[in-house]
Amino acid sequence: MFDNRVNVFVVLMVVAISLTLSACDDDSEPVPLEELSCKVESVVWNATSYLTAEMNNGVVIITGVNNNNDTLRLLIQDHEPGVHPVKNIQNIIVYKTQDITYLPLNSAEASLIVVDHDVVAKYIWGGFFYTGISGTGDRVEISDGVFRVYYN
């Protein structure tokens, strides 16, 4: 699982560097795309139907829904740049499909990586991965997660 965290971090850093370099090419600021995506059990998942973000009581809440009506929600309490733990009480990631809700295990096999948080522009982006568990004990692996959103 450590390799996934390193891979996500490397990908995010490459994107950050390329965005920085592209900003140097002309005088206009690049406008980042908004997205919420990941792999669920190695299958690509994208918030194609709905994506919203807000700051509520110091927590950035990102909610996305795909075309199958599967929902992914991130509740980010630690929104300063860095690598942060994902637990069921801190930096929560919830995945819901077919009326089954998967909450994070309290383990080291989960991380939230905030690459940048611009509080003036109200823009945050980074990555994540975690293992979720349902109330019946079923598990789901979420990997290669990326979020880029403006919030209200």
Side-chain angles (χ1 to χ4, degrees), residues 35-52 62-74 93-98 102 128 130 140-147 149:
E35 76 170 299
L36 178 59
S37 63
C38 64
K39 289 184 180 175
V40 178
E41 295 293 331
S42 299
V43 176
V44 174
W45 185 99
N46 288 301
T48 51
S49 178
Y50 178 81
L51 177 60
T52 187
I62 304 169
T63 303
V65 179
N66 71 1
N67 290 335
N68 294 329
N69 211 30
D70 300 335
T71 302
L72 184 64
R73 177 171 286 159
L74 285 70
I93 302 173
V94 179
Y95 177 68
K96 183 178 184 231
T97 182
Q98 301 172 3
Y102 297 90
F128 60 93
Y130 88 109
V140 66
E141 295 292 326
I142 306 288
S143 62
D144 302 327
V146 175
F147 59 89
V149 294

Side-chain angles (χ1 to χ4, degrees), residues 8 29 50:
V8 169
E29 284 284 330
Y50 178 81

Side-chain angles (χ1 to χ4, degrees), residues 98-112:
Q98 301 172 3
D99 296 325
I100 300 172
T101 301
Y102 297 90
L103 297 171
L105 293 169
N106 285 327
S107 71
E109 297 178 2
S111 284
L112 172 78

Side-chain angles (χ1 to χ4, degrees), residues 12-34:
L12 291 172
M13 292 309 298
V14 167
V15 170
I17 291 168
S18 65
L19 284 174
T20 301
L21 292 176
S22 70
C24 296
D25 291 342
D26 64 38
D27 295 331
S28 64
E29 284 284 330
V31 177
L33 297 174
E34 288 193 290

